[in-house]
Every structure is written in C-alpha cells, then in structure tokens.
Amino acid sequence: MSASDQEQTVTDSPLRQQPTRIGGLTPRMARRVRIAAASVLMVAVAAVLAVRLASRSSVLVVGVYGLALILCGGVIELSRRGRTRLGTWLLVAGLAAAIAADAFLIP
C-alpha cells in the first residue's frame, strides 16, 4: 500500500466524516430540540390538567389530558430512537386534537 492509498483510507474513514446537516441542525441536535419541545409541552399539559381539575372534576378532563401526556412521552421516546419527523407530526396532531376536544367535548 502506497502512502497516497493510506492517506485516502484515513480521510475516507467514517470517524472523520462530519454528520450531515438537515435544515441547519445535525440529526442529534434535531432529536434534542424535539425532546426538549415535547418535555416543555408535557409540563404545560400537566399544568393545564391541574388547573382544569381544580375548577371541575371530570373523567373526560383526566382522559383528554392524560392521553396528551402519554402522547408527549411517546414523542420523547420516538425522538430518542431517531424518529423525529414522525414524532413531530404526532405531537402536532395529538395536541391539536386535545385542544379541539377541550374546546368542544368538555363542558
């Protein structure tokens, strides 16, 4: 193996390559951002649940906000495993459904 072949194998090694950036973020950074967003939304949903339970005690309230909390936890797990786009879509759709249920189903 010549010196030029050795240099080429060193520069082509996977350890030397930079992670690909998607929209300005590396995949690892995107996962961390989505995990942080889901965690913040989980805390917000828990706070809204506490306020709703203080004003009225309903099984429907606990069900809607409980499912939203489970959804946020599922999104965190999906983001940990690298399924950030799926997690983002589920988070948006699920929280929109929870807001709609709060507005139209809960008296």
Coordinates of all heavy atoms in Angstrom, one line a residue:
M1 N 0.8 -1.2 0.0 CA 0.0 0.0 0.0 C 0.9 1.2 0.0 O 1.8 1.4 0.8 CB -0.9 0.0 1.3 CG -2.2 0.7 1.1 SD -3.0 0.5 2.7 CE -4.6 0.4 2.1
S2 N 0.7 2.1 -0.9 CA 1.5 3.3 -1.0 C 1.0 4.4 0.0 O -0.1 4.3 0.6 CB 1.4 3.9 -2.5 OG 0.2 4.4 -2.7
A3 N 1.8 5.4 0.1 CA 1.4 6.5 1.0 C 0.1 7.2 0.6 O -0.7 7.6 1.5 CB 2.6 7.5 1.1
S4 N -0.1 7.4 -0.7 CA -1.3 8.1 -1.1 C -2.5 7.2 -0.8 O -3.6 7.7 -0.5 CB -1.2 8.4 -2.6 OG -1.1 7.2 -3.4
D5 N -2.4 5.9 -0.9 CA -3.5 5.0 -0.6 C -3.8 5.0 0.9 O -5.0 5.0 1.3 CB -3.2 3.5 -1.0 CG -3.2 3.3 -2.5 OD1 -3.8 4.2 -3.2 OD2 -2.6 2.3 -3.0
Q6 N -2.8 5.1 1.7 CA -3.0 5.2 3.2 C -3.7 6.5 3.5 O -4.6 6.6 4.4 CB -1.7 5.1 3.9 CG -1.2 3.7 3.9 CD 0.2 3.6 4.5 OE1 0.8 4.6 4.9 NE2 0.7 2.4 4.7
E7 N -3.3 7.6 2.9 CA -3.9 8.9 3.2 C -5.4 8.9 2.7 O -6.3 9.4 3.4 CB -3.2 10.0 2.4 CG -1.9 10.4 3.0 CD -1.2 11.5 2.2 OE1 -2.0 12.2 1.5 OE2 0.0 11.6 2.3
Q8 N -5.7 8.3 1.6 CA -7.1 8.2 1.1 C -7.9 7.4 2.1 O -9.1 7.8 2.4 CB -7.1 7.6 -0.3 CG -8.5 7.7 -0.9 CD -8.5 7.2 -2.3 OE1 -7.6 6.6 -2.8 NE2 -9.6 7.4 -3.0
T9 N -7.4 6.3 2.6 CA -8.3 5.5 3.5 C -8.5 6.2 4.8 O -9.5 6.0 5.5 CB -7.6 4.1 3.8 OG1 -6.3 4.3 4.3 CG2 -7.6 3.3 2.5
V10 N -7.5 7.0 5.3 CA -7.6 7.7 6.5 C -8.7 8.8 6.4 O -9.5 9.0 7.2 CB -6.3 8.3 7.0 CG1 -6.5 9.3 8.1 CG2 -5.4 7.2 7.4
T11 N -8.7 9.5 5.2 CA -9.6 10.6 5.0 C -11.0 10.1 4.7 O -12.0 10.8 5.0 CB -9.2 11.6 3.9 OG1 -9.0 10.8 2.7 CG2 -7.9 12.3 4.3
D12 N -11.1 8.9 4.2 CA -12.5 8.3 3.9 C -13.1 7.5 5.1 O -14.2 7.0 4.9 CB -12.4 7.4 2.7 CG -12.1 8.1 1.4 OD1 -12.3 9.3 1.4 OD2 -11.6 7.5 0.4
S13 N -12.4 7.4 6.2 CA -12.9 6.7 7.3 C -14.2 7.3 7.8 O -14.3 8.6 7.8 CB -11.9 6.5 8.4 OG -11.7 7.8 9.0
P14 N -15.1 6.6 8.3 CA -16.4 7.1 8.8 C -16.2 8.0 10.1 O -17.0 8.8 10.4 CB -17.3 5.9 9.1 CG -16.4 4.7 9.0 CD -15.2 5.1 8.3
L15 N -15.1 7.8 10.8 CA -14.9 8.6 12.0 C -14.5 10.0 11.7 O -14.7 10.9 12.5 CB -13.8 7.9 12.9 CG -14.1 6.5 13.4 CD1 -12.9 6.0 14.1 CD2 -15.3 6.6 14.3
R16 N -14.0 10.2 10.5 CA -13.5 11.6 10.1 C -14.6 12.4 9.5 O -14.5 13.6 9.4 CB -12.4 11.5 9.1 CG -11.2 10.8 9.7 CD -10.4 11.9 10.4 NE -9.1 11.3 10.9 CZ -8.3 11.9 11.7 NH1 -8.6 13.1 12.0 NH2 -7.2 11.3 12.1
Q17 N -15.7 11.8 9.1 CA -16.8 12.5 8.3 C -17.6 13.2 9.3 O -18.0 12.7 10.4 CB -17.6 11.5 7.5 CG -16.8 10.9 6.4 CD -17.7 9.8 5.7 OE1 -18.8 9.5 6.1 NE2 -17.2 9.3 4.6
Q18 N -18.0 14.4 9.0 CA -18.9 15.2 9.8 C -20.4 14.7 9.6 O -20.7 14.3 8.5 CB -18.9 16.7 9.4 CG -17.5 17.3 9.7 CD -17.3 17.4 11.1 OE1 -18.2 17.6 11.9 NE2 -16.0 17.3 11.5
P19 N -21.2 14.8 10.6 CA -22.6 14.4 10.4 C -23.3 15.3 9.4 O -23.0 16.5 9.4 CB -23.2 14.5 11.8 CG -22.3 15.3 12.6 CD -20.9 15.2 11.9
T20 N -24.2 14.8 8.7 CA -24.9 15.6 7.7 C -25.9 16.5 8.4 O -26.5 16.1 9.4 CB -25.7 14.7 6.7 OG1 -26.6 13.9 7.4 CG2 -24.8 13.8 5.9
R21 N -26.0 17.7 7.9 CA -26.9 18.7 8.5 C -28.2 18.7 7.7 O -28.2 18.7 6.5 CB -26.3 20.1 8.5 CG -25.1 20.1 9.5 CD -24.6 21.6 9.5 NE -23.6 21.6 10.5 CZ -23.8 22.2 11.7 NH1 -24.9 22.7 12.0 NH2 -22.8 22.3 12.6
I22 N -29.3 18.7 8.5 CA -30.6 18.8 7.9 C -31.3 20.1 8.4 O -31.6 20.2 9.5 CB -31.5 17.6 8.3 CG1 -30.8 16.3 7.9 CG2 -32.9 17.7 7.8 CD1 -31.4 15.1 8.5
G23 N -31.4 21.0 7.5 CA -32.0 22.3 7.8 C -31.2 23.1 8.8 O -31.8 23.8 9.7
G24 N -29.9 22.9 8.8 CA -29.0 23.7 9.7 C -28.8 22.9 11.0 O -27.9 23.4 11.8
L25 N -29.4 21.8 11.3 CA -29.2 21.1 12.5 C -28.7 19.7 12.2 O -29.1 19.1 11.2 CB -30.5 20.9 13.3 CG -31.2 22.1 13.8 CD1 -32.5 21.8 14.5 CD2 -30.3 22.8 14.9
T26 N -27.8 19.2 13.0 CA -27.4 17.8 12.8 C -28.6 16.9 13.3 O -29.4 17.4 14.1 CB -26.1 17.5 13.6 OG1 -26.4 17.6 15.0 CG2 -25.0 18.3 13.1
P27 N -28.6 15.7 12.9 CA -29.7 14.8 13.4 C -29.7 14.7 15.0 O -30.8 14.7 15.6 CB -29.4 13.4 12.8 CG -28.7 13.8 11.5 CD -27.9 15.0 11.9
R28 N -28.6 14.7 15.6 CA -28.5 14.6 17.0 C -29.1 15.9 17.6 O -29.9 15.8 18.6 CB -27.1 14.4 17.5 CG -27.0 14.2 18.9 CD -25.6 13.9 19.3 NE -25.5 13.4 20.7 CZ -24.4 12.9 21.2 NH1 -23.3 12.8 20.5 NH2 -24.5 12.5 22.5
M29 N -28.8 17.0 17.1 CA -29.3 18.3 17.6 C -30.8 18.4 17.4 O -31.6 18.9 18.2 CB -28.6 19.5 16.9 CG -27.2 19.7 17.3 SD -26.2 20.8 16.2 CE -27.2 22.3 16.2
A30 N -31.3 17.9 16.2 CA -32.7 17.9 16.0 C -33.5 17.0 17.0 O -34.6 17.3 17.5 CB -33.0 17.4 14.6
R31 N -32.9 15.8 17.3 CA -33.5 15.0 18.3 C -33.6 15.7 19.7 O -34.6 15.6 20.4 CB -32.7 13.7 18.5 CG -32.9 12.7 17.4 CD -32.4 11.3 17.7 NE -31.0 11.3 18.0 CZ -30.0 11.1 17.0 NH1 -30.4 10.9 15.8 NH2 -28.8 11.1 17.3
R32 N -32.5 16.4 20.0 CA -32.5 17.1 21.3 C -33.5 18.2 21.4 O -34.2 18.4 22.4 CB -31.1 17.6 21.6 CG -30.2 16.5 22.0 CD -28.8 17.1 22.4 NE -27.9 16.0 22.8 CZ -26.7 16.2 23.2 NH1 -26.2 17.4 23.1 NH2 -26.0 15.2 23.5
V33 N -33.7 18.9 20.3 CA -34.7 20.0 20.2 C -36.1 19.4 20.3 O -36.9 20.0 21.1 CB -34.5 20.8 18.9 CG1 -35.7 21.7 18.6 CG2 -33.2 21.6 18.9
R34 N -36.4 18.4 19.7 CA -37.7 17.8 19.8 C -38.0 17.2 21.1 O -39.1 17.2 21.6 CB -37.9 16.8 18.6 CG -38.1 17.5 17.3 CD -38.2 16.6 16.1 NE -38.4 17.3 14.9 CZ -37.5 17.8 14.1 NH1 -36.2 17.7 14.5 NH2 -37.8 18.4 13.0
I35 N -37.0 16.6 21.7 CA -37.1 16.1 23.1 C -37.4 17.2 24.1 O -38.3 17.1 24.9 CB -35.9 15.3 23.5 CG1 -35.9 13.9 22.8 CG2 -35.9 15.0 25.0 CD1 -34.6 13.2 23.0
A36 N -36.7 18.3 23.9 CA -36.9 19.5 24.8 C -38.3 20.1 24.6 O -39.0 20.4 25.5 CB -35.9 20.5 24.5
A37 N -38.8 20.1 23.3 CA -40.1 20.7 23.0 C -41.2 19.8 23.6 O -42.1 20.3 24.2 CB -40.3 20.8 21.5
A38 N -41.0 18.5 23.4 CA -42.0 17.6 24.0 C -42.0 17.6 25.5 O -43.1 17.5 26.1 CB -41.8 16.2 23.5
S39 N -40.9 17.8 26.1 CA -40.8 17.9 27.6 C -41.5 19.2 28.1 O -42.3 19.1 29.1 CB -39.4 17.9 28.0 OG -38.8 16.7 27.7
V40 N -41.3 20.3 27.4 CA -41.9 21.5 27.8 C -43.4 21.4 27.6 O -44.2 21.9 28.5 CB -41.4 22.7 26.9 CG1 -42.2 24.0 27.1 CG2 -39.9 23.0 27.3
L41 N -43.9 20.8 26.5 CA -45.3 20.7 26.3 C -45.9 19.7 27.3 O -47.1 19.9 27.7 CB -45.6 20.2 24.9 CG -45.4 21.2 23.8 CD1 -45.5 20.6 22.4 CD2 -46.4 22.4 24.0
M42 N -45.1 18.7 27.8 CA -45.6 17.8 28.8 C -45.9 18.5 30.1 O -46.9 18.3 30.8 CB -44.6 16.7 29.0 CG -45.1 15.6 30.0 SD -43.9 14.3 30.2 CE -44.3 13.2 28.9
V43 N -45.0 19.4 30.5 CA -45.1 20.2 31.7 C -46.3 21.2 31.5 O -47.1 21.3 32.5 CB -43.8 21.0 32.0 CG1 -44.0 22.0 33.1 CG2 -42.7 20.0 32.3
A44 N -46.5 21.8 30.4 CA -47.6 22.7 30.1 C -49.0 21.9 30.2 O -49.9 22.4 30.8 CB -47.5 23.3 28.8
V45 N -49.0 20.7 29.6 CA -50.3 19.9 29.7 C -50.5 19.5 31.1 O -51.7 19.5 31.6 CB -50.2 18.7 28.8 CG1 -51.3 17.7 29.0 CG2 -50.2 19.1 27.3
A46 N -49.5 19.2 31.9 CA -49.7 18.8 33.3 C -50.3 20.0 34.1 O -51.1 19.8 35.0 CB -48.4 18.3 33.9
A47 N -49.7 21.2 33.8 CA -50.2 22.4 34.5 C -51.7 22.7 34.1 O -52.5 23.0 35.0 CB -49.3 23.6 34.1
V48 N -52.0 22.5 32.9 CA -53.4 22.8 32.4 C -54.3 21.7 33.1 O -55.5 22.0 33.5 CB -53.5 22.8 30.9 CG1 -55.0 22.8 30.4 CG2 -52.8 24.0 30.3
L49 N -53.9 20.5 33.2 CA -54.7 19.4 33.8 C -54.9 19.8 35.3 O -56.0 19.6 35.7 CB -53.9 18.1 33.7 CG -54.6 16.9 34.4 CD1 -55.9 16.6 33.8 CD2 -53.7 15.7 34.3
A50 N -53.9 20.3 36.0 CA -54.1 20.6 37.4 C -55.1 21.8 37.5 O -56.0 21.7 38.4 CB -52.8 21.0 38.0
V51 N -55.0 22.7 36.6 CA -56.0 23.9 36.7 C -57.4 23.4 36.4 O -58.4 23.8 37.0 CB -55.6 25.0 35.7 CG1 -56.7 26.0 35.5 CG2 -54.3 25.6 36.2
R52 N -57.5 22.5 35.3 CA -58.9 22.0 35.0 C -59.5 21.2 36.1 O -60.7 21.2 36.4 CB -58.8 21.2 33.7 CG -58.4 22.0 32.5 CD -59.6 22.7 32.0 NE -59.2 23.4 30.7 CZ -59.9 24.4 30.2 NH1 -60.9 24.8 30.8 NH2 -59.5 24.9 29.1
L53 N -58.6 20.3 36.7 CA -59.2 19.5 37.8 C -59.5 20.4 39.0 O -60.4 20.0 39.8 CB -58.1 18.5 38.2 CG -58.0 17.3 37.3 CD1 -56.9 16.4 37.7 CD2 -59.3 16.5 37.1
A54 N -58.9 21.5 39.2 CA -59.2 22.4 40.4 C -60.6 23.0 40.1 O -61.4 23.2 41.1 CB -58.2 23.4 40.5
S55 N -60.9 23.3 38.8 CA -62.2 24.0 38.6 C -63.3 23.0 38.4 O -64.4 23.3 38.8 CB -62.0 24.9 37.3 OG -61.8 24.1 36.2
R56 N -63.1 21.9 37.8 CA -64.1 20.9 37.7 C -63.5 19.5 37.6 O -62.5 19.3 37.0 CB -65.0 21.1 36.4 CG -64.1 21.1 35.2 CD -64.9 21.5 33.9 NE -63.9 22.0 33.0 CZ -64.1 22.9 32.1 NH1 -65.2 23.5 32.0 NH2 -63.1 23.2 31.3
S57 N -64.1 18.6 38.3 CA -63.6 17.2 38.3 C -64.4 16.3 37.4 O -65.6 16.0 37.6 CB -63.7 16.7 39.8 OG -63.3 15.4 39.8
S58 N -63.8 16.0 36.3 CA -64.5 15.2 35.3 C -63.5 14.1 34.8 O -62.3 14.3 34.6 CB -64.9 16.1 34.1 OG -65.3 15.3 33.0
V59 N -64.1 12.9 34.5 CA -63.3 11.8 34.0 C -62.8 12.2 32.6 O -61.7 11.8 32.2 CB -64.1 10.5 34.0 CG1 -63.3 9.4 33.4 CG2 -64.4 10.2 35.4
L60 N -63.6 12.9 31.8 CA -63.3 13.3 30.5 C -62.0 14.2 30.5 O -61.2 14.1 29.6 CB -64.5 14.0 29.8 CG -64.4 14.2 28.3 CD1 -64.1 12.9 27.6 CD2 -65.7 14.9 27.8
V61 N -62.0 15.1 31.4 CA -60.8 16.0 31.5 C -59.5 15.2 31.8 O -58.5 15.4 31.1 CB -61.0 17.1 32.7 CG1 -59.7 17.8 32.9 CG2 -62.1 18.0 32.3
V62 N -59.6 14.3 32.7 CA -58.5 13.5 33.0 C -58.1 12.6 31.8 O -56.9 12.4 31.5 CB -58.7 12.6 34.2 CG1 -57.6 11.6 34.5 CG2 -59.0 13.4 35.5
G63 N -59.1 12.1 31.1 CA -58.8 11.3 29.9 C -58.1 12.0 28.8 O -57.1 11.6 28.2
V64 N -58.6 13.2 28.5 CA -58.1 14.0 27.4 C -56.7 14.4 27.7 O -55.7 14.2 26.9 CB -59.0 15.2 27.1 CG1 -58.2 16.2 26.2 CG2 -60.3 14.8 26.4
Y65 N -56.5 15.0 28.9 CA -55.1 15.5 29.2 C -54.2 14.3 29.6 O -53.0 14.4 29.3 CB -55.2 16.5 30.3 CG -55.8 17.8 29.8 CD1 -57.1 18.2 30.1 CD2 -55.0 18.6 29.0 CE1 -57.6 19.4 29.7 CE2 -55.6 19.8 28.5 CZ -56.8 20.2 28.8 OH -57.4 21.3 28.3
G66 N -54.7 13.2 30.1 CA -53.9 12.1 30.3 C -53.3 11.5 29.0 O -52.2 11.1 28.9
L67 N -54.2 11.4 28.0 CA -53.8 11.0 26.7 C -52.7 11.9 26.1 O -51.8 11.5 25.4 CB -54.9 10.8 25.7 CG -55.8 9.6 26.0 CD1 -57.0 9.6 25.1 CD2 -55.1 8.3 25.8
A68 N -52.9 13.2 26.3 CA -51.9 14.2 25.8 C -50.5 14.0 26.5 O -49.5 14.1 25.9 CB -52.4 15.6 26.0
L69 N -50.6 13.7 27.8 CA -49.3 13.4 28.5 C -48.7 12.1 28.0 O -47.4 12.1 27.8 CB -49.6 13.3 30.0 CG -49.9 14.6 30.7 CD1 -50.3 14.3 32.2 CD2 -48.7 15.5 30.7
I70 N -49.4 11.1 27.7 CA -48.9 9.9 27.2 C -48.3 10.1 25.8 O -47.3 9.6 25.4 CB -50.0 8.8 27.1 CG1 -50.3 8.4 28.5 CG2 -49.5 7.6 26.3 CD1 -51.5 7.5 28.6
L71 N -49.0 11.0 25.0 CA -48.5 11.3 23.7 C -47.2 12.0 23.7 O -46.3 11.7 23.0 CB -49.5 12.2 22.9 CG -49.1 12.7 21.6 CD1 -49.2 11.6 20.6 CD2 -49.9 13.9 21.2
C72 N -47.0 13.0 24.7 CA -45.7 13.7 24.8 C -44.6 12.7 25.2 O -43.5 12.8 24.7 CB -45.9 14.8 25.8 SG -46.8 16.2 25.3
G73 N -44.9 11.8 26.1 CA -43.9 10.7 26.4 C -43.6 9.9 25.3 O -42.4 9.5 25.1
G74 N -44.6 9.5 24.4 CA -44.3 8.7 23.2 C -43.4 9.5 22.2 O -42.5 8.9 21.6
V75 N -43.7 10.8 22.1 CA -42.9 11.6 21.2 C -41.4 11.7 21.7 O -40.5 11.6 20.9 CB -43.5 13.0 21.0 CG1 -42.5 13.9 20.4 CG2 -44.8 12.9 20.3
I76 N -41.2 11.8 23.0 CA -39.9 11.8 23.5 C -39.2 10.5 23.2 O -38.0 10.5 22.8 CB -39.9 12.1 25.1 CG1 -40.3 13.5 25.3 CG2 -38.5 11.8 25.7 CD1 -40.6 13.8 26.8
E77 N -39.8 9.4 23.4 CA -39.2 8.1 23.1 C -38.9 7.9 21.6 O -37.9 7.4 21.2 CB -40.1 6.9 23.5 CG -39.5 5.6 23.4 CD -38.2 5.4 24.1 OE1 -38.0 6.0 25.2 OE2 -37.4 4.6 23.7
L78 N -39.9 8.4 20.7 CA -39.6 8.3 19.3 C -38.4 9.2 18.9 O -37.6 8.8 18.1 CB -40.8 8.8 18.5 CG -42.0 7.8 18.4 CD1 -43.2 8.5 17.8 CD2 -41.6 6.6 17.5
S79 N -38.3 10.4 19.5 CA -37.2 11.2 19.2 C -35.8 10.6 19.7 O -34.8 10.7 19.0 CB -37.3 12.6 19.9 OG -38.4 13.3 19.3
R80 N -35.9 9.9 20.8 CA -34.7 9.2 21.3 C -34.2 8.2 20.3 O -33.0 7.9 20.2 CB -35.0 8.6 22.7 CG -34.6 9.3 23.8 CD -34.7 8.5 25.1 NE -33.8 7.4 25.0 CZ -34.2 6.1 25.3 NH1 -35.4 5.9 25.7 NH2 -33.4 5.1 25.2
R81 N -35.2 7.5 19.7 CA -34.8 6.5 18.7 C -34.6 7.0 17.3 O -34.3 6.2 16.4 CB -35.9 5.4 18.7 CG -36.1 4.7 20.0 CD -37.2 3.8 20.0 NE -37.4 3.2 21.3 CZ -37.4 1.9 21.5 NH1 -37.4 1.1 20.5 NH2 -37.6 1.4 22.7
G82 N -34.6 8.3 17.1 CA -34.3 8.9 15.8 C -35.4 9.1 14.9 O -35.3 9.4 13.7
R83 N -36.7 8.9 15.3 CA -37.8 9.1 14.5 C -38.4 10.5 14.8 O -39.6 10.6 15.2 CB -38.9 8.0 14.8 CG -38.4 6.6 14.7 CD -37.8 6.4 13.3 NE -38.5 5.3 12.7 CZ -38.4 5.2 11.4 NH1 -37.8 6.0 10.6 NH2 -39.1 4.2 10.8
T84 N -37.6 11.5 14.5 CA -38.0 12.9 14.9 C -39.2 13.4 14.0 O -40.0 14.1 14.6 CB -36.8 13.8 14.8 OG1 -36.2 13.7 13.5 CG2 -35.8 13.5 15.8
R85 N -39.2 13.1 12.8 CA -40.3 13.7 11.9 C -41.6 13.0 12.3 O -42.6 13.8 12.4 CB -40.0 13.4 10.4 CG -38.9 14.2 9.9 CD -38.6 14.0 8.5 NE -37.4 14.6 8.0 CZ -36.7 14.2 7.1 NH1 -37.0 13.2 6.3 NH2 -35.6 14.8 6.7
L86 N -41.6 11.7 12.5 CA -42.8 11.1 12.9 C -43.3 11.6 14.3 O -44.5 11.9 14.5 CB -42.6 9.6 13.0 CG -43.8 8.7 13.5 CD1 -45.0 8.9 12.6 CD2 -43.4 7.3 13.7
G87 N -42.3 11.8 15.2 CA -42.7 12.4 16.5 C -43.2 13.8 16.4 O -44.2 14.1 17.1
T88 N -42.7 14.6 15.5 CA -43.2 15.9 15.4 C -44.6 15.9 14.9 O -45.5 16.7 15.4 CB -42.3 16.7 14.5 OG1 -40.9 16.7 15.0 CG2 -42.8 18.2 14.3
W89 N -44.9 15.1 13.9 CA -46.2 15.1 13.3 C -47.2 14.6 14.3 O -48.3 15.1 14.5 CB -46.3 14.2 12.0 CG -45.7 15.0 10.9 CD1 -44.5 14.7 10.2 CD2 -46.3 16.1 10.2 NE1 -44.4 15.6 9.2 CE2 -45.5 16.5 9.1 CE3 -47.5 16.8 10.3 CZ2 -45.8 17.5 8.3 CZ3 -47.8 17.8 9.5 CH2 -46.9 18.2 8.5
L90 N -46.8 13.5 15.1 CA -47.7 13.0 16.1 C -48.0 14.1 17.2 O -49.1 14.2 17.7 CB -47.1 11.8 16.7 CG -47.3 10.5 15.9 CD1 -46.5 9.3 16.6 CD2 -48.7 10.1 15.7
L91 N -46.9 14.8 17.6 CA -47.1 15.8 18.6 C -48.1 16.9 18.2 O -49.0 17.3 18.9 CB -45.7 16.4 19.0 CG -45.7 17.4 20.1 CD1 -46.1 16.7 21.4 CD2 -44.3 18.0 20.3
V92 N -47.9 17.4 16.9 CA -48.8 18.5 16.4 C -50.2 18.0 16.3 O -51.1 18.6 16.8 CB -48.2 19.0 15.1 CG1 -49.2 19.9 14.4 CG2 -46.9 19.7 15.3
A93 N -50.4 16.8 15.7 CA -51.7 16.3 15.5 C -52.4 15.9 16.9 O -53.6 16.2 17.1 CB -51.7 15.0 14.6
G94 N -51.7 15.3 17.8 CA -52.2 15.0 19.1 C -52.6 16.2 19.9 O -53.7 16.2 20.5
L95 N -51.7 17.2 19.9 CA -52.1 18.4 20.7 C -53.2 19.2 20.1 O -54.0 19.8 20.8 CB -50.8 19.2 20.9 CG -49.8 18.6 21.9 CD1 -48.6 19.5 22.0 CD2 -50.4 18.3 23.2
A96 N -53.3 19.2 18.8 CA -54.4 19.8 18.1 C -55.7 19.1 18.5 O -56.7 19.7 18.7 CB -54.2 19.9 16.6
A97 N -55.7 17.8 18.5 CA -56.8 17.0 18.9 C -57.2 17.2 20.3 O -58.4 17.4 20.7 CB -56.6 15.5 18.6
A98 N -56.2 17.4 21.2 CA -56.5 17.6 22.6 C -57.1 19.0 22.8 O -58.1 19.2 23.6 CB -55.2 17.5 23.4
I99 N -56.6 20.0 22.1 CA -57.2 21.4 22.2 C -58.6 21.4 21.6 O -59.5 22.0 22.2 CB -56.3 22.4 21.4 CG1 -55.0 22.5 22.2 CG2 -57.0 23.7 21.2 CD1 -53.9 23.3 21.4
A100 N -58.9 20.7 20.5 CA -60.2 20.6 20.0 C -61.1 19.9 20.9 O -62.3 20.3 21.1 CB -60.2 19.9 18.6
A101 N -60.7 18.8 21.5 CA -61.5 18.1 22.5 C -61.8 18.9 23.7 O -62.9 18.9 24.2 CB -60.8 16.8 22.9
D102 N -60.9 19.7 24.1 CA -61.1 20.6 25.3 C -62.1 21.7 24.9 O -63.0 22.0 25.7 CB -59.8 21.3 25.7 CG -59.9 22.1 27.0 OD1 -60.7 21.7 27.8 OD2 -59.3 23.2 27.0
A103 N -62.1 22.2 23.7 CA -63.0 23.2 23.3 C -64.4 22.7 23.1 O -65.4 23.4 23.4 CB -62.5 23.9 22.1
F104 N -64.5 21.5 22.5 CA -65.8 21.0 22.0 C -66.5 19.9 22.9 O -67.7 19.8 22.9 CB -65.8 20.6 20.6 CG -65.4 21.7 19.6 CD1 -64.2 21.6 18.9 CD2 -66.1 22.8 19.4 CE1 -63.8 22.6 18.0 CE2 -65.8 23.8 18.6 CZ -64.6 23.7 17.9
L105 N -65.6 19.1 23.5 CA -66.2 18.0 24.2 C -66.4 18.2 25.7 O -67.3 17.8 26.3 CB -65.3 16.8 24.1 CG -65.2 16.1 22.7 CD1 -64.3 15.0 22.7 CD2 -66.6 15.7 22.2
I106 N -65.5 19.0 26.3 CA -65.5 19.2 27.8 C -66.4 20.4 28.0 O -66.1 21.5 27.6 CB -64.1 19.4 28.3 CG1 -63.3 18.1 28.0 CG2 -64.1 19.7 29.8 CD1 -61.8 18.3 28.4
P107 N -67.4 20.2 28.9 CA -68.4 21.3 29.1 C -67.8 22.3 30.0 O -66.9 22.2 30.7 CB -69.5 20.6 29.8 CG -69.0 19.3 30.3 CD -67.9 19.0 29.5

